[in-house]
Amino acid sequence: MREACLLRTRENRSMTSKRLTRCVAAMAFSLVLMSTIVIAAEEPRSGDHRLNVVLITADDLRNALGCYGHPLVRSPQIDRLATRGVRFDRAYCQYPLCNPSRTSFLTGLRPDTTGVTDNAAKFRTNRPATVTLPQLFRKNGYHVARVGKLFHYGVPGQIGTNGLDDPESWDEVVNPRGRDKDDEDKIVSIKPGTGFGATLSWLAADGEDAEQTDGKGAEAAVRLLEQNRDRPFFLAMGFFRPHTPYVAPKPWFKLYPLETISLVSGSGARRDGVPAPALTVTPPNYGISTLLQQQAIQAYHASTSFMDAQVGKVVDAVDRLGLSRRTIIVFMSDHGYQLGEHGLWQKMTLFEESARVPLIIAAPGMKGNQRATSKVVELIDVYPTLADLCGLTPPADLDGRSLRPLLEDPERPWNHGAVTQVSRKGQSDPFKGYSVRSERYRYTEWDGGKRGVQLYDHETDPREGTNLATDPHHAETVAEMKRLLQEGTRPASRGEGLKPAP
Ligand SMILES: [Ca+2]
């Protein structure tokens, strides 16, 4: 009996040992298989080793993100992307409005070069032979796809349509349309009867993220990534949040209790010393109540966090599919946004909040990855940067420059300015405003200076509360910033480099 028991015990041990051996062998086989799959995914089927590109854009997103130091905003997905690439802390749009800005960064040309300075013009009318950023990749054999808003479409009116799209730029397009379109009758607006896109309006929506237009867009982008292609790809994913109306599913609003939202005060609220063309909202804050302003900011942040979660779905898919080692991921906005600074809201100003944009470039193997740079860059630099990183030759007349040197060394000297411009269309005498940013100063001229000049010292006055333009102590700085503005607005001068900026 005892022997039988021992025998069984030995048998059991033997069985256990055999099972263990088989189990270990199976695990080892699985690991080999998994690593083979990962390697297979990392290696392009075609043997074409050029890098892929995932270009993710947000709409009307200012630098109100966790990775840019915002005390309230929750943006864990974009923050995560920032920790693996280079975060640009002084990146600026060329025009704080959808169509002019998008046309500019997708062509690599300044608005004065494209001739597009409103939301109706088409760049091919003026420059039919333009090769856009995605088109350059098409011409070089990439599969080039767009999901959502890259070239301009009106929000919310043209959601789900091509809008002002450029068919020559893409092999494949997806125009997502979600329940946000069907819920428009529930939207709250501070100015009922006005288009939702042009005023402050919002909705804490019923339903799930995946039902929203941007949720459907993220899913479409993931599906495109999952199509294992035999050639490198360029995928542009254009989210349109947090553009007005600020619509996001209800749980995102709960992240921002109204009592935690403070309004702009102190130097950031000042309007004295500001030229009239700079003040786009009169009366200040549209004259609406503190509560309505808080609700608008709550909804803007909620829309941002919702959009951030959709960004995470796309980035997760790149990682899950084993594409990260050979895929560049860019995250950026088309322009910034005012949330009450100087009593101003939305866009079309030349203050810092409207001109500045988030920009993150995560390119495999860059020495500067996981760091930030305080050097001044422009959205027109994205086109030559992506061409450079992928070994493509861009058109010779681009207005921007490759940011590769900063991706390799975020601290290197980089004495360039960033120019942002707007048009003011009066009934009879339209004129322009130009603003240039150096690492320290912002300088703005309205109608060549005839209708006002602004100078702000960001070292001492980051809220742009004190206009120093007419202060004789700053005459030298004004002269230097004028020179920087002239350098920056001269067509196709950008490749030559500028003199050291102040
Ligand atoms: Ca926009």
Side-chain angles (χ1 to χ4, degrees):
M1 181 69 188
R2 187 167 174 267
E3 279 174 8
C5 279
L6 278 174
L7 187 63
R8 271 204 297 277
T9 305
R10 275 193 212 109
E11 276 174 357
N12 284 347
R13 276 187 194 144
S14 173
M15 286 294 287
T16 307
S17 172
K18 278 178 190 164
R19 279 195 195 121
L20 197 63
T21 307
R22 279 204 297 271
C23 189
V24 167
M27 280 170 65
F29 179 72
S30 300
L31 282 172
V32 169
L33 193 65
M34 278 165 65
S35 62
T36 307
I37 290 167
V38 169
I39 289 165
E42 289 284 4
E43 294 300 324
R45 280 196 328 212
S46 61
D48 185 336
H49 288 270
R50 290 179 299 178
L51 294 171
N52 304 305
V53 176
V54 175
L55 172 64
I56 304 173
T57 59
D59 198 357
D60 289 23
L61 174 68
R62 66 189 253 160
N63 288 56
L65 294 169
C67 60
Y68 283 103
H70 195 283
L72 287 183
V73 174
R74 304 266 283 272
S75 52
Q77 304 301 330
I78 298 166
D79 299 353
R80 188 163 58 99
L81 185 64
T83 61
R84 66 197 239 188
V86 174
R87 187 190 75 215
F88 290 83
D89 287 352
R90 292 197 181 104
Y92 297 92
C93 73
Q94 275 46 81
Y95 200 111
L97 184 68
C98 297
N99 190 34
S101 177
R102 288 163 181 270
T103 299
S104 171
F105 71 72
L106 288 168
T107 61
L109 302 169
R110 292 190 182 283
D112 283 339
T113 314
T114 65
V116 174
T117 57
D118 61 28
N119 271 348
K122 295 183 175 182
F123 66 93
R124 292 214 186 267
T125 308
N126 305 319
R127 295 176 59 96
T130 299
V131 177
T132 69
L133 165 63
Q135 193 181 1
L136 177 72
F137 281 78
R138 274 190 90 186
K139 283 174 173 285
N140 283 277
Y142 276 68
H143 180 83
V144 180
R146 163 183 74 76
V147 178
K149 180 174 176 178
L150 264 299
F151 287 98
H152 177 60
Y153 71 54
V155 174
Q158 293 178 304
I159 288 171
T161 74
N162 282 323
L164 290 184
D165 197 24
D166 179 54
E168 292 174 52
S169 290
W170 320 104
D171 292 307
E172 187 175 2
V173 301
V174 180
N175 292 321
R177 181 197 183 282
R179 70 173 289 171
D180 39 303
K181 283 296 291 172
D182 304 317
D183 286 344
E184 283 181 7
D185 58 339
K186 299 173 187 158
I187 289 170
V188 176
S189 170
I190 64 160
K191 207 171 172 186
T194 307
F196 293 130
T199 189
L200 303 185
S201 54
W202 57 87
L203 176 68
D206 292 321
E208 306 295 321
D209 287 6
E211 297 173 70
Q212 296 288 320
T213 297
D214 276 353
K216 288 176 182 286
E219 287 181 359
V222 171
R223 280 197 299 276
L224 285 167
L225 288 170
E226 286 170 344
Q227 292 169 5
N228 188 14
R229 297 181 192 285
D230 57 2
R231 54 184 171 138
F233 64 82
F234 180 108
L235 171 63
M237 173 65 244
F239 295 113
F240 75 99
R241 293 284 174 241
H243 195 294
T244 49
Y246 318 125
V247 179
K250 281 175 179 161
W252 297 107
F253 282 69
K254 293 199 177 112
L255 293 178
Y256 307 102
L258 285 176
E259 62 272 19
T260 65
I261 292 171
S262 51
L263 303 183
V264 176
S265 59
S267 61
R270 288 180 61 180
R271 286 163 78 101
D272 55 300
V274 177
L279 298 172
T280 48
V281 174
T282 302
N285 303 308
Y286 301 109
I288 62 174
S289 68
T290 296
L291 177 62
L292 281 172
Q293 291 179 58
Q294 286 175 308
Q295 287 177 325
I297 294 171
Q298 175 193 48
Y300 182 84
H301 292 339
S303 298
T304 299
S305 291
F306 157 69
M307 180 273 299
D308 173 78
Q310 311 318 304
V311 170
K313 290 177 186 171
V314 179
V315 175
D316 282 348
V318 171
D319 293 344
R320 172 171 59 81
L321 295 164
L323 295 166
S324 50
R325 275 197 295 161
R326 55 188 180 91
T327 302
I328 303 163
I329 305 179
V330 177
F331 175 82
M332 57 188 269
S333 175
D334 62 348
H335 51 78
Y337 208 74
Q338 306 286 146
L339 289 175
E341 295 80 12
H342 316 288
L344 306 177
W345 292 76
Q346 306 194 67
K347 42 212 174 185
M348 285 295 282
T349 89
L350 292 178
F351 283 108
E352 182 78 355
E353 293 83 8
S354 186
R356 187 177 173 220
V357 287
L359 173 65
I360 296 161
I361 301 178
M366 293 294 115
K367 293 191 187 77
N369 282 347
Q370 305 181 6
R371 292 164 66 189
T373 178
S374 58
K375 305 302 173 182
V376 174
V377 304
E378 306 182 283
L379 286 186
I380 47 171
D381 298 335
V382 170
Y383 184 163
T385 302
L386 289 174
D388 185 4
L389 294 175
C390 294
L392 311 185
T393 305
D397 61 351
L398 295 190
D399 286 330
R401 58 170 61 81
S402 173
L403 301 175
R404 181 198 277 268
L406 288 175
L407 297 175
E408 295 285 8
D409 178 7
E411 300 296 327
R412 79 186 298 283
W414 192 261
N415 295 312
H416 304 296
V419 177
T420 306
Q421 65 182 89
V422 291
S423 303
R424 291 285 184 254
K425 293 189 173 170
Q427 291 292 320
S428 56
D429 60 341
F431 60 94
K432 293 176 177 178
Y434 289 89
S435 190
V436 65
R437 184 70 155 85
S438 67
E439 282 188 39
R440 178 165 177 181
Y441 294 99
R442 169 168 297 288
Y443 173 73
T444 303
E445 287 183 356
W446 296 98
D447 199 8
K450 294 196 287 289
R451 302 191 198 218
V453 183
Q454 292 162 274
L455 176 72
Y456 299 105
D457 182 352
H458 275 258
E459 200 168 284
T460 58
D461 181 26
R463 313 297 300 277
E464 300 183 331
T466 305
N467 183 1
L468 303 168
T470 55
D471 183 338
H473 292 104
H474 292 88
E476 269 185 42
T477 303
V478 167
E480 184 56 22
M481 294 302 285
K482 276 172 109 57
R483 189 196 60 74
L484 195 62
L485 180 59
Q486 283 163 4
E487 292 271 6
T489 49
R490 191 186 304 155
S493 69
R494 308 278 300 154
E496 297 162 17
L498 305 178
K499 292 174 198 163

